Amino acid sequence: MISGVLTLFLTPQRLPMNHCLRELLIRGIDMKRTTTVYLFLLLFVMPGFSQFRVYSNEFLNIGAGGRGLAMGSAQVASVNDGTAGYWNPAGLVNVKDYPQVNLMHSEYFAGIGKYDFASVAIPTSNNKRTIGITALRFAVDDIMNTLFLVEPDGSLNYNNIQAFSSADYAFLFSFAQKLKESGNRNVHFGVNAKVIHRSVGKFAKAWGFGLDAGVQIIQNKWRIGLAARDITTTFNAWSFTFTEREKEVLYLTKNDIPVKSTELTAPRLVLGIARDFQLTKKIGLLAEANLDLTFDGKRNTIISADPISADPKIGLEFNVSNVFFLRAGINNFQKALADGDTLNQKKVWIYQPSAGAGFKISNVTIDYAFTNLANQSNPLFTHVFSLRLNLVGDKNKKKK
């Protein structure tokens, strides 16, 4: 159960639900078993016509895998495992010989928000192509619906409270292929078809569809990556269901009653460059920098313009004999009000640091990431664990 009191008053300001929840929780709202929600639901309401929305489908930008999150989400150039279906589908061709499974679970805001990731990558027999399937879920469960808490006579009837979940799902179907293989240059290409489903209890549901594409170029110790997401503009078609009694309550409390609508997600382009350094015979270093370009309007980023904004990401990975790994990263640079400024006039730059580690034993790799979701003086830390498993068959049977 969610613990605390969360009151979301309905206003004309319409922001994506996940963003509103994030802002409320970062400010430290204390939650109890009884959650007061005056239809939370309308946080999803969009105008009755199609348009690009800033932060649309933002749950798809949380990340995947302990490695990527520990490196500050700087991945498009170097990702080489099953999580590539999320970061850059071209990287899936690095999964060779055997199928690979990746699993991750993380919780945010003291367990209120839950995020799950699972993927399977299957290479072909000649290792020139790879097929991948990825599933993601971000949800806030056990939200209390207090729409009918107050009876017509003004009394409170707690038996009228019901729980529901707000959940976002995405399913990615990936295909990757080697375009060129030579002594010092490899070129890989990949594409995703993704299906999106979002639901807010029985009140609102949406289905969407989109396409991603990616390229990786590896030349000597350099790696270059490009991931184009939502290249055809991903859409979500929303539908809303209310009973006549629910509509009456919404009307009496002066809230809008939402109607069917379509939400469009603008394309996003992520550029990356990485380099391998061999420090000693056993110790290596990978450094990667990404630039995340969005085209949906002015965002709170280092380079902020309308319609293009840019957000840099930097990540490092030390490895010892490719068995033990140490990682660090930084991303999500934003301007925010200084904590000590009582007049709310002074703005400072904040950022999201991350760190982590990993180790590989035979066909199993376990990765850990330690990330900060808020500013440096009032941090909210999240621990993330992920598992990577190579499904190696019976070697003796293979020899026969």
Side-chain angles (χ1 to χ4, degrees):
M1 295 286 290
I2 295 179
S3 103
V5 177
L6 173 62
T7 304
L8 302 182
F9 295 96
L10 297 175
T11 67
Q13 183 181 14
R14 295 164 180 174
L15 298 175
M17 181 270 184
N18 289 342
H19 257 294
C20 289
L21 181 62
R22 177 180 182 274
E23 291 300 320
L24 287 169
L25 296 176
I26 284 178
R27 288 183 175 86
I29 292 181
D30 200 11
M31 306 196 83
K32 286 187 175 178
R33 181 172 292 273
T34 48
T35 305
T36 306
V37 180
Y38 294 112
L39 208 67
F40 39 80
L41 176 62
L42 293 187
L43 294 170
F44 272 103
V45 176
M46 285 76 69
F49 51 87
S50 299
Q51 63 176 358
F52 288 128
R53 293 185 56 81
V54 180
Y55 304 115
S56 174
N57 287 333
E58 195 67 11
F59 78 100
L60 290 175
N61 298 311
I62 295 175
R67 178 182 187 267
L69 292 172
M71 293 179 63
S73 297
Q75 288 290 284
V76 296
S78 66
V79 64
N80 59 5
D81 60 15
T83 63
Y86 172 88
W87 298 107
N88 183 352
L92 283 173
V93 296
N94 296 294
V95 178
K96 301 177 181 179
D97 299 324
Y98 304 102
Q100 185 183 102
V101 173
N102 284 263
L103 301 172
M104 186 189 85
H105 173 77
S106 60
E107 298 186 359
Y108 298 91
F109 312 116
I112 295 174
K114 296 178 176 60
Y115 179 60
D116 296 291
F117 167 89
S119 72
V120 58
I122 304 173
T124 59
S125 58
N126 59 7
N127 286 327
K128 290 186 176 181
R129 300 175 186 86
T130 303
I131 298 172
I133 301 175
T134 301
L136 303 97
R137 178 184 186 266
F138 181 83
V140 177
D141 298 315
D142 296 321
I143 303 173
M144 297 295 107
N145 175 9
T146 60
L147 198 61
F148 304 117
L149 173 63
V150 181
E151 297 284 8
D153 61 2
S155 62
L156 300 180
N157 186 348
Y158 293 99
N159 292 325
N160 289 340
I161 297 177
Q162 296 181 341
F164 71 97
S165 296
S166 174
D168 299 331
Y169 300 87
F171 304 94
L172 283 65
F173 304 92
S174 308
F175 174 80
Q177 179 171 331
K178 296 179 180 180
L179 296 183
K180 180 180 179 181
E181 290 282 315
S182 64
N184 59 355
R185 176 181 291 186
N186 300 328
V187 181
H188 305 153
F189 172 78
V191 63
N192 285 337
K194 58 187 177 186
V195 178
I196 296 170
H197 178 59
R198 305 177 69 181
S199 65
V200 186
K202 63 179 182 180
F203 309 105
K205 297 186 184 301
W207 286 95
F209 177 80
L211 295 174
D212 305 331
V215 175
Q216 279 187 345
I217 301 173
I218 304 172
Q219 183 164 354
N220 298 323
K221 295 183 179 181
W222 289 94
R223 306 182 188 188
I224 298 173
L226 184 151
R229 298 174 183 167
D230 306 304
I231 55 179
T232 57
T233 65
T234 298
F235 72 90
N236 290 334
W238 284 95
S239 61
F240 301 88
T241 304
F242 294 96
T243 65
E244 291 302 318
R245 185 185 177 196
E246 290 167 344
K247 290 180 181 179
E248 181 182 359
V249 173
L250 291 174
Y251 176 77
L252 293 175
T253 53
K254 298 181 180 180
N255 288 298
D256 295 332
I257 298 176
V259 296
K260 290 183 178 180
S261 59
T262 301
E263 174 187 6
L264 297 180
T265 304
R268 174 191 295 255
L269 186 64
V270 185
L271 309 174
I273 185 168
R275 192 182 192 279
D276 286 305
F277 300 89
Q278 196 64 40
L279 304 181
T280 68
K281 188 176 180 180
K282 291 186 177 182
I283 299 177
L285 169 66
L286 171 70
E288 178 165 351
N290 289 180
L291 189 63
D292 191 343
L293 302 173
T294 54
F295 304 89
D296 54 7
K298 194 171 184 178
R299 293 191 176 210
N300 185 5
T301 56
I302 285 184
I303 302 173
S304 181
D306 193 0
I308 301 176
S309 297
D311 185 23
K313 309 173 189 292
I314 301 172
L316 297 173
E317 179 183 58
F318 289 90
N319 78 81
V320 180
S321 301
N322 283 317
V323 173
F324 179 73
F325 305 88
L326 289 177
R327 306 178 179 109
I330 185 171
N331 68 338
N332 199 22
F333 295 88
Q334 297 184 15
K335 267 193 173 181
L337 294 172
D339 290 340
D341 180 17
T342 58
L343 300 178
N344 291 334
Q345 295 179 347
K346 183 181 179 182
K347 287 190 174 182
V348 296
W349 283 104
I350 63 173
Y351 53 87
Q352 182 176 325
S354 56
F359 64 90
K360 181 178 179 180
I361 302 176
S362 186
N363 301 311
V364 178
T365 303
I366 297 177
D367 293 313
Y368 164 75
F370 182 66
T371 63
N372 173 15
L373 297 181
N375 60 46
Q376 285 66 56
S377 59
N378 185 28
L380 294 172
F381 294 110
T382 296
H383 303 275
V384 179
F385 290 91
S386 65
L387 171 69
R388 181 166 73 246
L389 176 64
N390 293 322
L391 302 180
V392 178
D394 190 329
K395 295 182 179 179
N396 293 325
K397 287 184 178 180
K398 190 173 182 181
K399 288 180 180 179
K400 293 179 182 179

